[in-house]
Each structure stands twice: as structure tokens, then as C-alpha cells.
Amino acid sequence: FFVGLFSRLDINVFKWLNYLATRFNGTFHMSELSLDASPLVTNSGDDDSVETVEICDDGDDDDSDSDYDDSNNDDDVIEVVTTKSAETVLRERLKQAKSSGNVYTIADTTTFTAASSSSMRTTFQTISTAVTAMRSSNVGSRSGVPRERQGIVLESVSGIKSEMELFKATRMVLDHKTGKITPGFGEKSGGRIVRIAQQPFAQGGLRNVYRMKEIIVGSIRNLVGKESRHEIPDVERLRFHTDTSNCQAKACKYAKKFNAEVKKSVNLEENKDIHRISVLRAEVYRLNDASCKRGFRYLAVEEELKGKYEKWNSNNGFVREAKEDDSDDNKMQCQVAQAFSHFSYEKSGGEEMVVDIQGSNYVYTDPQLHTTLKMLGRADRGVPGFNDFFRTHKCNFICKGLGLEARTKAKDDSSLHS
């Protein structure tokens, strides 16, 4: 977090800090603090090792999400004052803040004395503690820190396959022109019937993965449904799937280019064992679920993968290297996956990289992209993500055959913003 001191007369600074908080999904909170030359008076009660400070919101910042209510704790409040005039001001503001429910009481176990502390130093420590307390009280809401969904127990942990529930569903697709996810052409609202497990069988960094089946006349499609493992504000539920769909669309584009480049490379003509790769494209299914907000639940749905599931690299620099006891095909799969990530970076001119390569054989699912501008969701780590990959990646014969430059960090890293 960022703490700044400025004159409230400088409206431009106020506007700029408020803009930064909005731009990066943060919370802007402005409290007035008097920077008197004299130190703050500490608690003179029985326990003189505890200092209690009150930061009072003067009502300028309407924090309607706060559940804190201090109206019944008058006996626990210790006021911190420096002079009589400051005391009067604080009392007036405290009364006003209490009436609106915006009072934050912070206890600091450090004792400050006139000899060891200045008013400026104490003020900074007070602000820091206050901001931390306010952020903690709003975890998962305004602070931007994701909150885990409650009541989730993986089937692999419980050892029991959960029951499957029946829902009406609508298939939705990403319109690349508008960037919105809407029902597919000719799709009837609630015209599909699906069954989905009550609990996920697997979990990734961002998603829970559920067993799912679509019931079609005369047959059943075996699917998997993927849903954010965190609580997401209602207005952002489709945006989450939009980021996923965009990642998959871009990964598919790079996979096609990779296959074409490998096929025409004269340096790789003798290597007939380099398989073509593909990326599963997920569709979004909207389930009619009365227990969800607005009566709908959204999942990314794709075909169930067959075969052994492998994770070849991640978005934080992990790279799975081939092991001596791996089969020849497994070693090839490993080298193809790492070369594909490297290829996507070079092919994009250093602007993007496909990572989080995982799946079965040469069919990948749930890829993530790093982009220089961090435009593709929370897992898009930008330039630091590029660098983490190159720190662990070792170019193999496919990288060399495609003429990819061996790197230890992103190109022109010093000029790129992280």
C-alpha cells in the first residue's frame, strides 16, 4: 500500500491519489492528522505499554462497506491529544465520526516517549497501522484481496465423489468484436440440460474444477466445468471468463503458428516425432441456479481430457525438465511445451508469452498469457513473468531449430515497466 502526506488545499494531489486507487482496484482513504511538534501523550492507565490511537473519518469518504460499529464501546476508547485546542477538535470530529459509524481504534504495543519519538514519526506509524486495520476488515471486498469460496471440499481430499445436480443451461461464446460473452447464435435460453458435481475434483491457482455431463438425446457428453475458486463481485463474473477466453484464443493462435513453423523448419526436418499441439477452447455455460446472484451461475466448460495429466510449466517460473527415467515421448512432450512458450514470446515481438502449459499428451488446457501491459487477468504477471520463465528455461533442440534467441531475461528489460 501507499501512504502520502499532502496539504488538503492541493486538490490536484487528492485527485491523482484517488485516480491511482481506482485504477489499481485499491481503496483511497483520507484522514486528517495534526503534525504538532510535541509528542503524543501515551496511555497513563495500569498498562502503560499500550498506546491506543483513534483515526476518525470525517465523513468525506463514504465507506458504506464497513461493518465496524463502535457506538457501544465508549468505555474502551482512549483519546490521544496534545494540546487543549487539539483535544477540542478531536472530540468534535470523534463525535461526528461515531454518529456515522466510521471510527477505527488501533492498539500499538510499542511505547512512545518524548525522548524517543517525534510527532511526525508517530503519525506515520499511526497511519500505517490504521490502513492495515482497515484493509484487514475489508478483505475480499474493497481491498481487492480475493476471498476463497466457502464450503469447498475437494473430492480428492474427502475420498468421496459428490452427488451431481441437474440444471438448465445456456451456452455462451466470446464475441471478439465486442469483447462480450453472449449466448451463441440460435441458442435457446435454458435449452440445455447438464449435471454438475456439488464439489470440485481438482483445484488450480484460480479455478475449481468440477465433473460435468451434458445430457443430449441418445448420448452424454463428458465435460469439466471450471469456476473461480474465489468470491467475485457479481459485475465481474463474466469478466473473469472473458480473460480466460481471451487467453485461450491467443494460445490457439500461437499454437497454429508454432505447428506451421515446426513443419517448415529445415533444421527440424529429421525430427518426425515433434507432434502438433492444440489448445482446448472453453465455452461459457450459464446455469439457471436460484442460489446464485441474479439466478445464474457461470462456468467455463470444455471436453474432458483423456490420458495422463501433466503440468509442463507455470506462470511463476516453474519449468518441468525432462527426467532420465521419462519415456522418450514424455521427454518430447516436455521439450515441445517449453519451446512453445519461448516461441510465443519471440513471435509476439516480446509482447506476450503463453505459459501455464498443462494437459494430456499434446492437448493443452487452461493456458495463461503474460503481457507487457498485464491485460489478461490476475495471473498475467507481465515482464516479471517473462523473466521468471527465462531464468529457468533451457533452450532445447526445438528452440534452436526454430532460431529462437537464447535468453536469461526479457528483451530490453530495463526499459519495460513491471
Side-chain angles (χ1 to χ4, degrees):
F1 68 92
F2 173 80
V3 175
L5 291 179
F6 63 94
S7 169
R8 71 174 299 159
L9 298 178
D10 192 339
I11 191 64
N12 290 327
V13 175
F14 169 83
K15 289 181 177 179
W16 176 243
L17 291 176
N18 194 41
Y19 164 77
L20 288 178
T22 303
R23 172 65 179 80
F24 295 102
N25 297 321
T27 301
F28 177 72
H29 181 82
M30 185 176 74
S31 294
E32 292 183 14
L33 291 168
S34 175
L35 302 181
D36 299 315
S38 57
L40 295 176
V41 179
T42 58
N43 177 14
S44 57
D46 294 337
D47 185 1
D48 59 4
S49 66
V50 176
E51 177 184 359
T52 301
V53 180
E54 288 195 343
I55 305 297
C56 306
D57 192 327
D58 61 8
D60 291 341
D61 195 7
D62 184 13
D63 188 356
S64 59
D65 291 335
S66 175
D67 295 324
Y68 191 91
D69 182 4
D70 195 52
S71 58
N72 297 322
N73 295 322
D74 292 344
D75 294 337
D76 297 330
V77 173
I78 301 174
E79 298 173 30
V80 179
V81 297
T82 54
T83 65
K84 184 175 182 179
S85 58
E87 178 181 358
T88 301
V89 173
L90 284 174
R91 283 183 180 279
E92 292 175 351
R93 295 184 62 219
L94 174 60
K95 183 178 180 180
Q96 181 182 6
K98 279 185 176 180
S99 65
S100 61
N102 294 322
V103 177
Y104 302 91
T105 302
I106 298 94
D108 189 346
T109 56
T110 303
T111 301
F112 296 99
T113 64
S116 64
S117 175
S118 68
S119 178
M120 178 70 78
R121 176 185 172 190
T122 304
T123 296
F124 269 113
Q125 291 177 324
T126 298
I127 294 174
S128 176
T129 308
V131 171
T132 301
M134 285 185 285
R135 290 180 64 189
S136 298
S137 68
N138 283 325
V139 168
S141 55
R142 294 183 61 186
S143 68
V145 178
R147 177 190 289 131
E148 290 274 351
R149 291 182 183 274
Q150 302 300 304
I152 297 296
V153 179
L154 295 181
E155 292 181 343
S156 58
V157 174
S158 67
I160 302 174
K161 280 191 174 183
S162 58
E163 294 184 3
M164 301 187 78
E165 295 182 276
L166 190 71
F167 294 95
K168 291 183 178 180
T170 306
R171 171 180 166 271
M172 307 180 76
V173 295
L174 175 65
D175 185 331
H176 292 284
K177 292 183 178 179
T178 64
K180 295 181 179 180
I181 294 179
T182 58
F185 180 76
E187 184 76 11
K188 180 182 177 181
S189 180
R192 296 171 183 261
I193 302 297
V194 300
R195 296 177 66 89
I196 185 169
Q198 294 178 352
Q199 295 291 351
F201 71 87
Q203 190 176 70
L206 295 177
R207 303 173 185 86
N208 291 322
V209 188
Y210 297 82
R211 294 179 292 111
M212 186 172 174
K213 297 179 183 294
E214 181 172 2
I215 302 172
I216 305 173
V217 178
S219 65
I220 293 179
R221 290 178 67 202
N222 291 319
L223 307 168
V224 293
K226 300 180 181 182
E227 183 178 45
S228 173
R229 61 181 287 184
H230 303 106
E231 297 288 352
I232 296 180
D234 185 51
V235 295
E236 296 183 9
R237 289 188 296 168
L238 277 179
R239 188 183 309 167
F240 174 82
H241 291 298
T242 299
D243 290 337
T244 300
S245 296
N246 280 323
C247 280
Q248 290 174 334
K250 286 178 174 288
C252 284
K253 179 188 71 174
Y254 286 118
K256 291 178 180 178
K257 292 182 177 180
F258 178 80
N259 290 334
E261 293 285 340
V262 168
K263 185 177 180 180
K264 72 179 184 182
S265 173
V266 295
N267 298 321
L268 298 173
E269 285 181 345
E270 296 181 1
N271 295 278
K272 305 298 183 183
D273 295 330
I274 304 178
H275 289 253
R276 292 175 60 83
I277 62 175
S278 61
V279 179
L280 284 180
R281 294 291 299 272
E283 299 168 328
V284 175
Y285 274 40
R286 184 183 68 193
L287 277 55
N288 295 2
D289 188 342
S291 66
C292 296
K293 293 181 180 179
R294 300 187 183 181
F296 294 124
R297 178 183 179 187
Y298 297 91
L299 296 100
V301 177
E302 60 190 38
E303 296 287 340
E304 182 183 36
L305 281 175
K306 303 296 182 181
K308 184 181 179 181
Y309 194 93
E310 295 272 8
K311 190 175 184 74
W312 301 111
N313 63 41
S314 71
N315 73 324
N316 62 6
F318 161 75
V319 169
R320 157 84 148 85
E321 295 184 358
K323 303 174 183 177
E324 290 186 5
D325 58 350
D326 281 341
S327 66
D328 290 342
D329 185 56
N330 223 35
K331 291 177 181 177
M332 180 62 72
Q333 290 184 47
C334 181
Q335 295 181 92
V336 168
Q338 314 312 345
F340 175 48
S341 289
H342 190 174
F343 170 85
S344 64
Y345 176 80
E346 301 295 345
K347 199 66 178 179
S348 70
E351 296 292 321
E352 299 176 337
M353 177 188 287
V354 183
V355 292
D356 220 6
I357 307 297
Q358 56 195 310
S360 178
N361 294 312
Y362 297 92
V363 181
Y364 304 145
T365 180
D366 269 354
Q368 175 62 47
L369 264 76
H370 293 318
T371 64
T372 54
L373 298 179
K374 297 184 179 180
M375 299 295 290
L376 292 175
R378 294 197 303 268
D380 179 353
R381 299 181 53 242
V383 176
F386 297 158
N387 288 332
D388 284 346
F389 173 81
F390 285 124
R391 271 195 288 268
T392 52
H393 168 64
K394 297 177 182 178
C395 283
N396 55 52
F397 78 97
I398 303 175
C399 299
K400 297 172 183 177
L402 294 175
L404 306 181
E405 182 176 341
R407 300 180 182 279
T408 57
K409 65 178 182 178
K411 61 174 67 176
D412 299 325
D413 178 38
S414 60
S415 65
L416 294 174
H417 296 287
S418 60

